[in-house]
Amino acid sequence: MPRSSANARASEKDTGDVKVDFTIDTTQGSGVRWWEKAEEPQTIWRACVSNDGLDYYVNTETGETQWEKPEELMTEEELNNNGEWVWIPHSTECYVAAKVLEKTKKKIFVQLEDGDKKKVDISASQPLLRSSLQRVVADLTLLDNMGSPLILHCLRKRFERNQIYTNVGTILISVNPYQRLPLYTEQVLRKYSSRGLGVVDMPPHVYKAFYGVTSFSKGQSIIISGESGAGKTEATKQCLQYIANVAGSVADVEKKVLQANPILEAYGNAKTLRNDNSSRFGKYLEIFFDKKGRIAGSATENYLLEKIRVVQPAHKERNFHIFYQLAKAASRDLKRKLKLTNAEDYRYLQTCTDVDSIDDARDFKDVLDAFKDLGISDGERDQTFALCSAVLHLGNCSFSPDSKSSGGSKVRDLKILSVAAELLGVPSEKLSQALTTREIRVRGQESTRANMEPKEASETRHALSKFMYGKMFNWIVSRINKSMPGNGKGAERGLSIGILDIFGFEIFEKNSFEQLCINFTNERLQQHFNAHTFKLEQNIYKSEGIQFSAIDYIDNQPMVDLITKKPNGVLPLLDEELKIPRGSDKTFLAKLVDRHKKSQVFKRLMKVPTNFGIKHYAGKVIYDSTGFLEKNRDTLTEDLVELLQGSTQPLLNELYPKNLSISSKQRKSSLASQFQSQLSRLMKNLNQTQPHYIRCIKPNNDKAPMKFVPKNCYEQLLYSGVFEAVAIRKQGFPFRMSHQEFLERYTICMTKQFKGSQIKAKCKEILDFMKCDQANTRIGSTRVLYRAEEHKKLELRRSIKVKNQEINDALKRLSRVDANTLAPKEREGFFIELAEAVSEADKFRVKTEDAERARRMLEAFVEARMDPKTKRELKEAYEKQDLKLLREVVKKCDKEGYRTKMTRQCQELLAKIEDAEAALAVATKSMEEEYLEKAVAMCDDFGYKAASCLKAKELLKNVRKAKVGIQKAMGKMKRKWLNQAIEFCEKIGLDNAQVRECRVITQKVNKCHKMLSVAKKDVNLKKLEMALRACEKIKYRSPLEHECRGLCFRVRRITEELHEGFKHCIEHQVRCVVAAADEISMPGDKKLAKWRGLVKGPYSTFLEAQYSHAIDQKDVDRAIRIMVRRKDLVVEEKQGDLTLDRYPKLKEAMSWAREKWWGSREKRAANMLKHQFERLHAPLSTVLAGEMDKRRLKAVKYKISAAFETIQKIMGQRNTSRLPQRIMELIRDALQNEEVRTEAYICFIKQCTENPEPEKIPQVFPLLALCLSVFPPGEDFEDYLEAWLRDPKIRPHTDKFNCRGLLRASVHHGPDASAGNIEKEEYKDLDNVLEQRIRPLRFAWPSYAPRGNAKAPSWADLMKSYKQKGESLKISQPPRVVLLTGGSAPDNKESR
């Protein structure tokens, strides 16, 4: 029924007379439903949509609102996406969202949304709040983060929704969709043009930017910037359409403005590398208004036409469109009249002629129509065509040296020149002369003519072409203005709106003079934009009386000064170079580098000598200085000016009137100076207006519909200063409302009465009540200003309040209607509406008195309408507690809309059974003891005894049993119990947290057991330690672990002794370590293998190794002891081979005997090596055989004889009173004469052999020991002396004085020269001398058997068996050798 009927009968007050026979449980649903939380969380959060179309979320119990989606509402995929997210750079997407998996100090490992994983530098990433991706806002200042990735993301998502317009405060961003969208219909236009001033919910649009345009009191400007193809022309068109609609128009001015576009594009646009229809000039269209505020006229002013393109189009770029249109699309008669052929025939057009996206024939037709629509005559039109044709023919002229004139040139093809002259209406001879010569005029003298070289002539020709075309273009713009109502002049009122359509920032692979001018223009516009935005912000705060810190923004004045400031700016230096006789690009760049080497915005590039870099606001651009001078040169000789003034062509007469005087300064004006002059004029115009900004974005280079290429858009956003604009707006307070508007909009958020009566005070109360951050809000004299966070907070609160208000208003209205007074039809409609309102109240858990009354009214109505059959079914289902029957009947009641006491009881019972079944299902699935207990208790509460309940009880019993088993197993940490517990849990399907914990422990215990077994088998220290660490980590103890711990200690000790003793190689330590390692089958490393080889190999090799280590350690005494033992083995092995008679250098007995001429030679020969009482008549060996010095030979023989006598005398077998003297002489003679040494030791042996007085033999050994301590024998005699010292007969005597050790010591050290300083008086006490020189124990072989308090060696613990506890380790013994008798006390050095 209509709501108005119900309202008509609504009672003025709550009657409260609705009769019901049951009470509604208004708390249902508010309790904790654990089984739902355990299985599938239910939530009190509701998703809503704001007026802006953004999702937000409301807590139906607390009224709390938030943007972030609550976890309860998240899908599994969304939950998986929780965590830390960042933006990372991407080659084509610019930035992509990625989830952080791992982070280090400098790197992060991330996963992209497509599953790919990457490692990137932290510095290259930007933080991302994942929920911010959901908020696609119409104003970028509302974004959570002002980073470029989120801005780009927001624009892209809006574009994909056909929302091509986005605001940055008052700035409009327009992304070209390349297709017609329903955005400019009459309805849309009417909607924006008729909206109220306080309306804030209108989406961004080109129409929205100019509200109140008819009531302005200051000139306005619309600055439309962007690349060619970004939609600037369309934006201009829509601006005009809107302005004309709201302001009205005289004589359809806006249509005529648009009709001029084909002409301006033909003469001023060209195909570039980035766009096929690139505007190569700037256009400032000014719309004039009359006193009534209507459009009364317009004027177009052109800026910075790229004239260099006429003569030097870049590679793969085209010249201006008009040239190709004439060459390709002009009629046959027109082409004949213009002397034109194909486009490929003209040098100025050969860089590129055909473009797939350009239809020259169609475009030329539009040009002809435009000329006609604007009232420009065919004659005027054709004169521009003729001038264009003349330019093309001039371009085909070439020059060669003229042999008739020195340094002159001539036109090669006069036919081409004559065609150009005819089209220009000048004599060909004069044209030829003006191109190849120049007149030099000196004041007070006659003028002379100077010849030009071919290169100069060619440059003059180019200058003529550029000048004429530039002048013609200016004339075309002026002619279009004259065709407009008012002849392009402003109305009397003088108010206007200017629309600037200008080329955007350009960065190519190769950037030249043209790009410098274009980019500098954008630099000035960006400076104007920054200053205006900053100024606008500051003015608002000033007018509102708000204290606010200065806004930071990029000041690009240094870059502006770099290019234009005199005298060192780029353009002034370039102009100066034109005036220098030999100026060049190279000298220009050298000056530029010298003047700006310390500049922060200029950089010289050493890799490419011709390049330099400038740091623009949009980024660094590398410019190639090659050709800068030529492109800047825009001079025209006086001859050419006079030639054109004499033309018969009407257009040229108008461009170059005969009575017009052109100064030398005007003729020599450079492009740079013209550019600066025009740019200054443009900026002056803009500064006098109130600007509005539209940034047009070209989303792709293919002009494909609704295709968004992030990289393209990012560059344009950067170049157009959008990021900077967002930053400036964000620093301030981008949201502003008048006090009245703010109060009207947000009063609904208040839940208490206002204290104050003033509007401003009420606004402050709203902000305080909403707990808005004071740092982010300001209350000015007329407005409330605040930032994005506060805006979102206010809007969210308002949205939910509006929703609640709508529900409460509906409930209040409906609950006061007396249904009995309504007609049947109206009554039916009323209860349908009541049911909808109650349903909405239930959804948002509204529990007001009106809501409860409405619920009772609805239930009473339904009770009266219920049929008997349904009542019986309800009763039967309730009594049987049958889930299926209950569901069917409740479903039937819901379908019919029955809400009665019985339906409620069945619903409650159904809810209990469903809850119980849900709880049983969850408990059975989770197998949690707590859940099982609760589920069983739920069933017991209302006597529910279904099979599922019995199953749950049995399962509960098993779960408790498993719990006890796990606790016992984990308490004792026994592997067997743990495995049994896990097997039981797997049998019953139990897998809760306790089981998972036990399973983890069991796996760890099993792993430890395996590790211990392997380590024990391999006897590997690293494996043992690793296994024991694993056991320690989980506190696992077992017999195997105990055994491995002991084994680990044993292996560690063996390893320690091995590594510590390896540098000493002490025999007992080596044997002990090897025996200990062998006992436990330790494999060991290379060192142990080497020691095993020593122990099991030849003993001589072992001794050699010990000797080598002793020498390395500089342990001389030990080295000597080892060498003594080695010599013991040598003597034992060779035995009889080392007797004196086998000494190779021993003289033949008879030969020696013959050296004495008297006596029996045979007897002497037989006793040569035996004791004798006589003097020694000759040396016994041939040690003097090579001596050539007879005097020395005689002297040495004497000393040998004297040494023999000394031995005789010390044995008491020759009388002497000067024995000390003789001993001293023996020692000194041996030290001074090497031959004496071996002979002396032979004499000792001889006198001890078959001595008839054996009791005298012991007397010689003190002297022998003294000699051994002073000098060694000859190297070839060592082993013979060693063998004699070990002779059993004299061994006791030699061992008494440690002669073997003394011999090895003297061999090792060499002769002791210091002994020559012992005086004869000291030799009187020979025992004392020996005691001072000999320490016998130092040559004793050590013993490591523990004795008394002797310090045990470090490896003493290894001398005990590991396997046979308490037993000694069986250590291998060396081969038996003759031991010294000089004691066996351990040596400290050896037992280290």
Side-chain angles (χ1 to χ4, degrees):
M1 89 181 243
R3 290 192 177 190
S4 57
S5 301
N7 290 339
R9 297 175 176 83
S11 180
E12 290 298 323
K13 59 180 180 178
D14 186 0
T15 59
D17 58 352
V18 179
K19 295 181 179 180
V20 292
D21 56 355
F22 63 92
T23 303
I24 299 174
D25 180 9
T26 58
T27 64
Q28 182 180 351
S30 62
V32 178
R33 300 166 68 85
W34 60 266
W35 59 93
E36 291 179 348
K37 290 189 175 183
E39 185 179 34
E40 190 176 40
Q42 298 296 309
T43 178
I44 55 176
W45 289 94
R46 297 294 176 195
C48 300
V49 180
S50 69
N51 292 331
D52 296 331
L54 302 179
D55 292 334
Y56 69 95
Y57 303 93
V58 182
N59 186 311
T60 56
E61 288 191 349
T62 65
E64 177 189 357
T65 58
Q66 65 181 49
W67 290 108
E68 288 75 22
K69 192 173 188 178
E71 287 190 4
E72 293 93 326
L73 297 181
M74 288 184 181
T75 64
E76 184 176 350
E77 181 181 359
E78 289 172 331
L79 287 171
N80 291 336
N81 285 334
N82 278 346
E84 184 180 1
W85 284 76
V86 293
W87 291 106
I88 64 170
H90 192 272
S91 57
T92 56
E93 300 295 315
C94 284
Y95 295 96
V96 292
K99 185 176 182 180
V100 177
L101 301 178
E102 186 179 347
K103 183 184 290 187
T104 62
K105 287 185 178 179
K106 296 183 178 180
K107 298 280 186 180
I108 51 173
F109 188 58
V110 298
Q111 182 175 9
L112 307 186
E113 290 179 310
D114 60 6
D116 286 350
K117 295 180 180 179
K118 288 186 177 182
K119 184 176 284 187
V120 296
D121 293 335
I122 288 183
S123 59
S125 67
Q126 297 184 38
L128 164 63
L129 182 64
R130 179 74 180 173
S131 61
S132 64
L133 298 182
Q134 302 172 13
R135 291 189 286 285
V136 181
V137 297
D139 192 324
L140 296 180
T141 54
L142 279 171
L143 289 174
D144 295 329
N145 179 276
M146 286 298 100
S148 51
L150 195 57
I151 291 174
L152 193 63
H153 168 80
C154 182
L155 289 175
R156 181 177 191 171
K157 291 301 180 185
R158 287 183 60 77
F159 182 77
E160 290 170 353
R161 300 173 185 176
N162 292 339
Q163 296 169 339
I164 64 171
Y165 293 118
T166 305
N167 284 127
V168 182
T170 57
I171 303 154
L172 183 68
I173 300 173
S174 171
V175 186
N176 194 343
Y178 290 115
Q179 70 177 27
R180 183 60 59 182
L181 297 175
L183 298 175
Y184 314 108
T185 63
E186 286 294 330
Q187 293 85 350
V188 173
L189 186 60
R190 195 179 308 114
K191 178 181 177 183
Y192 279 89
S193 60
S194 61
R195 73 189 188 276
L197 185 62
V199 177
V200 296
D201 295 332
M202 299 289 282
H205 199 286
V206 68
Y207 297 160
K208 186 180 179 182
F210 312 113
Y211 179 78
V213 73
T214 58
S215 59
F216 61 89
S217 59
K218 179 183 178 182
Q220 307 287 302
S221 62
I222 304 169
I223 301 173
I224 305 174
S225 63
E227 289 189 2
S228 296
K232 298 193 297 295
T233 302
E234 181 66 23
T236 302
K237 177 182 175 182
Q238 298 306 328
C239 288
L240 288 171
Q241 181 180 351
Y242 178 77
I243 293 170
N245 183 271
V246 298
S249 174
V250 177
D252 293 332
V253 174
E254 75 283 357
K255 293 181 180 179
K256 287 185 175 293
V257 171
L258 295 175
Q259 286 169 349
N261 275 340
I263 300 174
L264 293 175
E265 288 186 3
Y267 289 86
N269 287 24
K271 185 261 182 197
T272 64
L273 292 175
R274 298 184 70 169
N275 191 277
D276 293 344
N277 187 31
S278 176
S279 177
R280 307 316 296 166
F281 71 103
K283 179 175 65 175
Y284 187 66
L285 172 65
E286 197 166 10
I287 308 296
F288 301 107
F289 295 83
D290 61 16
K291 292 182 178 181
K292 295 181 179 180
R294 298 175 302 174
I295 298 177
S298 74
T300 299
E301 188 171 358
N302 62 297
Y303 295 94
L304 314 171
L305 177 69
E306 189 184 3
K307 293 191 291 185
I308 190 66
R309 183 172 293 274
V310 175
V311 297
Q312 287 184 12
H315 179 60
K316 292 185 179 181
E317 293 190 353
R318 291 211 321 178
N319 213 316
F320 293 105
H321 293 324
I322 189 62
F323 293 116
Y324 303 93
Q325 292 172 3
L326 289 171
K328 291 182 177 185
S331 65
R332 187 175 301 175
D333 291 341
L334 182 57
K335 289 183 71 173
R336 188 184 306 113
K337 180 180 176 181
L338 298 176
K339 315 293 185 185
L340 285 174
T341 57
N342 297 325
E344 295 83 358
D345 298 334
Y346 300 100
R347 290 176 187 162
Y348 285 168
L349 308 182
Q350 289 173 351
T351 51
C352 177
T353 56
D354 297 318
V355 181
D356 293 338
S357 63
I358 297 177
D359 187 340
D360 290 306
R362 183 194 63 196
D363 293 344
F364 186 59
K365 183 180 181 301
D366 293 341
V367 171
L368 296 177
D369 292 342
F371 274 120
K372 186 179 295 184
D373 294 339
L374 292 175
I376 300 174
S377 68
D378 292 348
E380 291 175 309
R381 177 199 69 190
D382 292 347
Q383 288 171 39
T384 65
F385 293 164
L387 199 57
C388 291
S389 179
V391 167
L392 293 180
H393 284 91
L394 281 174
N396 279 5
C397 289
S398 59
F399 303 89
S400 61
D402 188 0
S403 58
K404 295 180 181 180
S405 60
S406 176
S409 60
K410 63 179 181 179
V411 180
R412 284 180 178 170
D413 193 339
L414 293 175
K415 184 178 179 181
I416 297 175
L417 181 70
S418 64
V419 173
E422 181 181 349
L423 292 167
L424 292 174
V426 298
S428 61
E429 296 81 6
K430 288 188 177 182
L431 178 60
S432 175
Q433 184 184 41
L435 291 176
T436 57
T437 64
R438 64 177 176 271
E439 188 177 19
I440 300 176
R441 299 177 182 180
V442 181
R443 185 177 299 176
Q445 298 181 17
E446 292 186 6
S447 60
T448 59
R449 301 203 72 82
N451 295 322
M452 288 191 284
E453 296 179 352
K455 183 179 179 182
E456 292 178 285
S458 178
E459 291 173 355
T460 302
R461 177 266 317 274
H462 289 331
L464 176 60
S465 299
K466 290 189 293 182
F467 255 93
M468 290 193 300
Y469 193 86
K471 281 274 191 180
M472 178 189 69
F473 188 76
N474 292 339
W475 177 86
I476 290 173
V477 174
S478 176
R479 184 66 185 82
I480 291 173
N481 287 338
K482 287 181 181 179
S483 68
M484 298 293 167
N487 295 324
K489 297 179 181 178
E492 292 180 8
R493 184 184 176 190
L495 291 178
S496 64
I497 294 179
I499 302 175
L500 177 64
D501 177 353
I502 200 162
F503 30 61
F505 198 89
E506 292 184 347
I507 299 181
F508 299 132
E509 288 186 11
K510 182 177 180 181
N511 302 284
S512 190
F513 181 68
E514 310 90 88
Q515 278 69 49
L516 177 67
C517 293
I518 290 171
N519 292 345
F520 180 63
T521 303
N522 282 273
E523 195 79 45
R524 289 296 303 275
L525 290 173
Q526 183 66 24
Q527 186 181 42
H528 175 269
F529 167 74
N530 286 349
H532 169 74
T533 306
F534 166 78
K535 204 173 295 181
L536 181 65
E537 293 287 305
Q538 297 292 64
N539 287 340
I540 289 175
Y541 304 143
K542 186 176 180 181
S543 66
E544 292 295 323
I546 291 174
Q547 293 294 326
F548 184 73
S549 57
I551 298 174
D552 295 328
Y553 69 97
I554 297 174
D555 183 8
N556 55 356
Q557 187 60 43
M559 208 289 309
V560 174
D561 292 342
L562 170 70
I563 293 182
T564 59
K565 190 174 182 179
K566 294 181 179 180
N568 298 322
V570 176
L571 297 182
L573 283 177
L574 193 59
D575 283 349
E576 178 186 314
E577 205 65 20
L578 289 176
K579 302 173 184 176
I580 297 174
R582 294 188 179 181
S584 65
D585 296 329
K586 186 175 181 180
T587 55
F588 157 69
L589 183 58
K591 290 180 182 178
L592 191 61
V593 172
D594 180 64
R595 309 284 171 86
H596 299 286
K597 54 190 174 185
K598 295 183 180 180
S599 174
Q600 297 296 317
V601 293
F602 177 85
K603 186 175 182 181
R604 172 72 186 277
L605 302 176
M606 303 304 295
K607 291 184 178 180
V608 184
T610 60
N611 286 6
F612 64 91
I614 292 180
K615 187 178 179 182
H616 291 279
Y617 76 92
K620 183 179 177 182
V621 182
I622 306 302
Y623 295 99
D624 187 349
S625 64
T626 305
F628 260 47
L629 250 66
E630 179 56 32
K631 292 179 179 180
N632 187 39
R633 200 186 307 277
D634 203 30
T635 60
L636 202 61
T637 65
E638 192 171 347
D639 294 348
L640 286 174
V641 174
E642 291 177 354
L643 176 69
L644 295 175
Q645 287 176 332
S647 170
T648 60
Q649 222 256 34
L651 179 57
L652 284 176
N653 289 156
E654 189 172 346
L655 297 179
Y656 296 94
K658 291 183 180 180
N659 58 351
L660 179 65
S661 176
I662 301 178
S663 67
S664 175
K665 183 177 180 181
Q666 287 176 316
R667 288 197 305 274
K668 295 182 180 180
S669 176
S670 66
L671 280 180
S673 60
Q674 295 176 43
F675 162 73
Q676 292 182 80
S677 176
Q678 288 187 324
L679 184 57
S680 297
R681 192 166 67 251
L682 171 63
M683 299 312 299
K684 182 179 179 181
N685 288 341
L686 293 178
N687 289 332
Q688 293 174 349
T689 65
Q690 176 69 35
H692 306 268
Y693 298 95
I694 300 178
R695 297 301 200 224
C696 295
I697 304 298
K698 178 182 176 182
N700 64 80
N701 292 330
D702 306 324
K703 296 186 178 180
M706 302 311 295
K707 177 182 177 182
F708 191 96
V709 179
K711 188 174 183 181
N712 286 30
C713 298
Y714 174 80
E715 290 177 354
Q716 293 172 72
L717 291 169
L718 178 66
Y719 299 162
S720 63
V722 168
F723 297 141
E724 181 70 10
V726 174
I728 291 176
R729 290 285 293 183
K730 193 70 175 179
Q731 285 184 66
F733 300 92
F735 297 92
R736 298 112 187 221
M737 281 190 186
S738 69
H739 294 160
Q740 187 63 39
E741 291 170 352
F742 187 84
L743 188 63
E744 289 175 359
R745 187 168 183 83
Y746 298 118
T747 295
I748 194 172
C749 297
M750 295 287 287
T751 58
K752 60 181 182 180
Q753 294 295 322
F754 287 109
K755 295 179 180 178
S757 58
Q758 299 296 321
I759 293 180
K760 188 173 181 179
K762 289 181 178 180
C763 291
K764 187 176 187 310
E765 285 188 52
I766 293 174
L767 293 174
D768 292 342
F769 178 78
M770 290 300 297
K771 297 180 180 179
C772 293
D773 189 345
Q774 292 184 2
N776 293 333
T777 59
R778 295 288 187 275
I779 300 179
S781 57
T782 64
R783 306 185 205 185
V784 179
L785 301 92
Y786 47 98
R787 293 193 171 119
E789 285 302 316
E790 277 54 44
H791 174 77
K792 289 187 289 186
K793 185 183 292 185
L794 289 165
E795 283 299 305
L796 284 177
R797 181 69 174 175
R798 179 180 181 276
S799 295
I800 189 60
K801 282 292 184 179
V802 168
K803 185 70 177 176
N804 282 332
Q805 187 66 50
E806 290 174 353
I807 294 173
N808 286 324
D809 288 347
L811 291 172
K812 183 176 182 180
R813 175 175 55 83
L814 293 170
S815 64
R816 283 163 173 72
V817 173
D818 184 358
N820 296 323
T821 64
L822 300 177
K825 246 185 189 180
E826 290 180 334
R827 195 163 182 262
E828 188 73 22
F830 166 77
F831 279 106
I832 291 174
E833 188 178 358
L834 181 65
E836 291 174 353
V838 169
S839 176
E840 194 74 5
D842 289 344
K843 183 191 296 183
F844 284 89
R845 303 191 179 187
V846 178
K847 301 174 183 177
T848 63
E849 186 177 344
D850 289 330
E852 296 306 319
R853 179 178 176 80
R855 288 188 181 100
R856 292 194 298 270
M857 288 174 64
L858 185 62
E859 288 178 359
F861 171 72
V862 173
E863 179 77 31
R865 291 169 55 97
M866 184 180 295
D867 62 281
K869 182 181 177 182
T870 303
K871 291 181 179 180
R872 287 196 304 273
E873 291 173 349
L874 285 168
K875 185 177 180 181
E876 180 184 2
Y878 183 81
E879 291 174 351
K880 290 184 177 181
Q881 293 188 342
D882 188 293
L883 180 61
K884 184 179 179 182
L885 288 176
L886 281 167
R887 281 176 174 167
E888 289 176 353
V889 71
V890 168
K891 182 179 179 182
K892 179 179 178 181
C893 291
D894 288 342
K895 184 178 179 181
E896 295 296 329
Y898 295 153
R899 289 196 176 190
T900 66
K901 179 179 179 181
M902 195 64 192
T903 58
R904 178 61 62 89
Q905 288 176 339
C906 285
Q907 285 173 343
E908 289 176 352
L909 178 60
L910 176 60
K912 288 180 179 180
I913 293 176
E914 286 180 336
D915 285 349
E917 287 291 347
L920 289 169
V922 170
T924 304
K925 182 179 178 181
S926 68
M927 301 184 73
E928 291 289 339
E929 183 180 6
E930 179 187 0
Y931 291 168
L932 286 166
E933 288 174 346
K934 287 182 177 180
V936 170
M938 285 177 66
C939 296
D940 293 342
D941 283 346
F942 65 98
Y944 189 56
K945 298 180 180 179
S948 55
C949 181
L950 299 176
K951 179 182 176 182
K953 289 181 178 180
E954 180 65 22
L955 184 58
L956 177 60
K957 178 182 176 182
N958 287 331
V959 167
R960 287 170 174 167
K961 179 180 178 182
K963 180 180 178 181
V964 173
I966 288 173
Q967 289 174 343
K968 181 180 178 182
M970 291 181 67
K972 296 293 184 180
M973 287 292 284
K974 286 193 175 183
R975 190 169 69 92
K976 181 179 178 181
W977 291 1
L978 286 167
N979 284 305
Q980 287 175 346
I982 292 300
E983 286 175 6
F984 179 74
C985 292
E986 289 176 350
K987 182 179 178 181
I988 65 173
L990 180 61
D991 188 27
N992 57 20
Q994 186 186 32
V995 174
R996 288 192 290 273
E997 182 184 2
C998 182
R999 185 180 290 110
V1000 170
I1001 293 295
T1002 304
Q1003 290 170 350
K1004 290 180 179 179
V1005 167
N1006 289 336
K1007 184 178 178 181
C1008 288
H1009 183 81
K1010 184 177 179 181
M1011 291 173 69
L1012 290 169
S1013 300
V1014 172
K1016 177 186 174 184
K1017 180 182 177 183
D1018 295 346
V1019 196
N1020 182 282
L1021 180 59
K1022 186 178 287 187
K1023 291 181 180 179
L1024 285 165
E1025 289 176 339
M1026 191 180 298
L1028 290 171
R1029 279 198 300 272
C1031 294
E1032 189 62 34
K1033 194 172 182 180
I1034 62 173
K1035 306 300 180 185
Y1036 175 58
R1037 298 289 184 268
S1038 69
L1040 179 60
E1041 183 269 344
H1042 180 74
E1043 183 180 355
C1044 286
R1045 193 173 296 279
L1047 181 61
C1048 179
F1049 180 78
R1050 186 72 168 182
V1051 172
R1052 189 181 293 117
R1053 283 292 299 121
I1054 292 172
T1055 304
E1056 289 171 357
E1057 287 300 324
L1058 174 64
H1059 292 295
E1060 177 63 25
F1062 198 78
K1063 57 186 177 183
H1064 300 293
C1065 197
I1066 299 171
E1067 182 173 342
H1068 189 266
Q1069 186 180 22
V1070 171
R1071 292 185 183 278
C1072 184
V1073 168
V1074 169
D1078 289 345
E1079 183 186 25
I1080 60 175
S1081 302
M1082 177 179 169
D1085 54 10
K1086 292 181 180 179
K1087 292 182 179 179
L1088 184 57
K1090 183 175 180 180
W1091 276 18
R1092 281 192 170 116
L1094 293 177
V1095 171
K1096 298 175 182 179
Y1099 188 50
S1100 58
T1101 305
F1102 197 174
L1103 289 173
E1104 288 175 8
Q1106 293 181 62
Y1107 179 76
S1108 175
H1109 282 77
I1111 293 300
D1112 290 342
Q1113 296 298 314
K1114 296 181 174 53
D1115 191 346
V1116 177
D1117 289 349
R1118 181 168 175 250
I1120 292 171
R1121 288 197 299 272
I1122 294 168
M1123 285 306 299
V1124 169
R1125 178 160 279 202
R1126 288 181 65 192
K1127 288 300 180 181
D1128 288 345
L1129 294 176
V1130 171
V1131 171
E1132 190 171 346
E1133 289 173 4
K1134 295 185 178 181
Q1135 295 180 353
D1137 294 337
L1138 295 177
T1139 56
L1140 183 59
D1141 58 346
R1142 291 178 179 271
Y1143 177 47
K1145 290 187 178 181
L1146 194 67
K1147 290 181 180 177
E1148 195 271 324
M1150 189 55 70
S1151 174
W1152 176 74
R1154 289 194 189 101
E1155 292 186 45
K1156 186 176 182 181
W1157 60 274
W1158 71 87
S1160 172
R1161 295 176 180 175
E1162 290 77 7
K1163 186 177 178 181
R1164 278 199 300 273
N1167 294 321
M1168 176 182 175
L1169 298 179
K1170 299 177 183 177
H1171 177 271
Q1172 68 180 45
F1173 288 101
E1174 301 87 6
R1175 285 188 174 89
L1176 189 68
H1177 67 278
L1180 295 167
S1181 68
T1182 60
V1183 292
L1184 292 172
E1187 182 60 54
M1188 302 301 292
D1189 188 345
K1190 292 183 179 180
R1191 293 181 62 183
R1192 184 176 183 280
L1193 179 64
K1194 183 177 179 181
V1196 173
K1197 283 183 177 181
Y1198 175 78
K1199 291 177 180 180
I1200 291 172
S1201 177
F1204 184 76
E1205 288 182 8
T1206 301
I1207 293 171
Q1208 288 178 316
K1209 289 176 180 179
I1210 200 150
M1211 295 178 74
Q1213 293 179 331
R1214 185 177 287 277
N1215 294 326
T1216 180
S1217 59
R1218 297 185 301 113
L1219 184 59
Q1221 175 73 22
R1222 299 303 296 269
I1223 293 173
M1224 182 186 69
E1225 290 173 354
L1226 170 60
I1227 296 300
R1228 291 180 178 178
D1229 288 345
L1231 288 173
Q1232 295 170 3
N1233 300 279
E1234 190 174 346
E1235 298 88 347
V1236 175
R1237 301 170 191 171
T1238 299
E1239 281 292 334
Y1241 289 123
I1242 294 175
C1243 292
F1244 275 113
I1245 297 172
K1246 174 179 173 66
Q1247 289 304 98
C1248 290
T1249 304
E1250 297 185 19
N1251 191 320
E1253 297 176 329
E1255 69 279 2
K1256 299 287 184 73
I1257 292 176
Q1259 297 177 21
V1260 80
F1261 288 105
L1263 179 59
L1264 173 63
L1266 178 62
C1267 291
L1268 288 173
S1269 72
V1270 175
F1271 57 86
E1275 186 177 350
D1276 55 356
F1277 189 68
E1278 283 180 24
D1279 286 350
Y1280 294 91
L1281 181 57
E1282 290 277 9
W1284 179 72
L1285 292 175
R1286 288 163 176 77
D1287 188 298
K1289 295 179 182 178
I1290 65 167
R1291 174 75 175 273
H1293 305 299
T1294 59
D1295 283 354
K1296 178 180 178 182
F1297 293 98
N1298 282 288
C1299 291
R1300 288 179 294 170
L1302 293 172
L1303 173 57
R1304 297 323 307 164
S1306 64
V1307 170
H1308 179 80
H1309 295 297
D1312 182 6
S1314 64
N1317 298 327
I1318 302 175
E1319 299 298 332
K1320 63 181 179 181
E1321 285 77 11
E1322 297 179 54
Y1323 286 117
K1324 290 179 180 179
D1325 189 354
L1326 187 57
D1327 290 338
N1328 183 50
V1329 173
L1330 286 174
E1331 186 177 347
Q1332 291 179 4
R1333 293 187 60 81
I1334 302 171
R1335 185 168 59 84
L1337 291 182
R1338 63 182 172 153
F1339 301 130
W1341 194 262
S1343 171
Y1344 298 102
R1347 295 199 309 267
N1349 296 325
K1351 184 179 178 181
S1354 63
W1355 60 91
D1357 59 319
L1358 297 181
M1359 295 166 65
K1360 295 181 180 180
S1361 173
Y1362 171 73
K1363 291 185 176 180
Q1364 305 294 328
K1365 304 298 181 183
E1367 299 291 331
S1368 297
L1369 180 67
K1370 294 181 180 179
I1371 304 172
S1372 64
Q1373 298 298 324
R1376 184 178 180 185
V1377 294
V1378 179
L1379 297 174
L1380 294 172
T1381 60
S1384 57
D1387 182 270
N1388 292 334
K1389 190 81 170 179
E1390 192 73 15
S1391 59
R1392 181 171 17 186

